[in-house]
Amino acid sequence: MAFFRPRVSREAEVRYHADQEAAKGYPAMLEKARSAEREYHAKRAAHAPGAELRAAGVALDQAITGALRSAESAQRATFGVKAYDDRIRRRKGRATPEGAKWTAEVNRLRTLREEHRLTGIVRVPG
């Protein structure tokens, strides 16, 4: 008696491998975000003009967004290839220690980005 086990879709495999590649860049993206944050705070402490402060704030937002996308890719890749097609597998993936670590990291970066978008980007008239 043979049981039918559906294979993972080709699209899921392609997305899984793409996420694995994107996740490899996470440390570099996080370091880029940290340096952008240092630059932003240095300009803010030096009382830079509004246009410079806005440019630094937008650069920080883009760096955080890049790190967030890379962390989301790592999270999906950690859940496994079957999680792309099955919500139960995604839920089980979040319950593993590695999945919980990446879920917490993604939530932390989302919160940081939204807080920065609400309070950190200077509005310049014009």
Side-chain angles (χ1 to χ4, degrees):
M1 175 185 245
F3 291 100
F4 175 72
R5 282 192 163 173
R7 286 184 37 93
V8 217
S9 69
R10 180 72 181 138
E11 179 187 344
E13 288 179 8
V14 169
R15 290 174 56 205
Y16 175 70
H17 291 299
D19 281 342
Q20 282 183 323
E21 288 300 314
K24 289 179 184 175
Y26 176 71
M29 297 299 276
L30 191 61
E31 184 54 40
K32 183 179 175 182
R34 285 182 179 147
S35 66
E37 184 178 24
R38 283 192 294 271
E39 181 181 329
Y40 172 74
H41 287 300
K43 287 187 187 245
R44 192 169 182 169
H47 302 292
E52 285 183 33
L53 201 56
R54 177 171 173 76
V58 170
L60 176 58
D61 181 63
Q62 290 173 348
I64 293 172
T65 301
L68 175 62
R69 287 184 180 149
S70 186
E72 287 171 339
S73 295
Q75 178 189 32
R76 287 189 302 266
T78 301
F79 294 166
V81 70
K82 292 181 180 179
Y84 288 88
D85 292 335
D86 186 9
R87 68 178 181 82
I88 302 297
R89 293 282 183 169
R90 278 193 298 276
R91 192 185 79 210
K92 286 182 177 184
R94 281 189 188 92
T96 64
E98 192 69 16
K101 180 187 96 164
W102 280 112
T103 301
E105 183 66 12
V106 166
N107 289 338
R108 183 185 73 82
L109 286 170
R110 276 191 187 132
T111 302
L112 181 66
R113 184 181 67 173
E114 292 305 313
E115 178 183 338
H116 176 67
R117 283 183 175 177
L118 289 173
T119 61
I121 298 177
V122 176
R123 295 178 190 248
V124 181

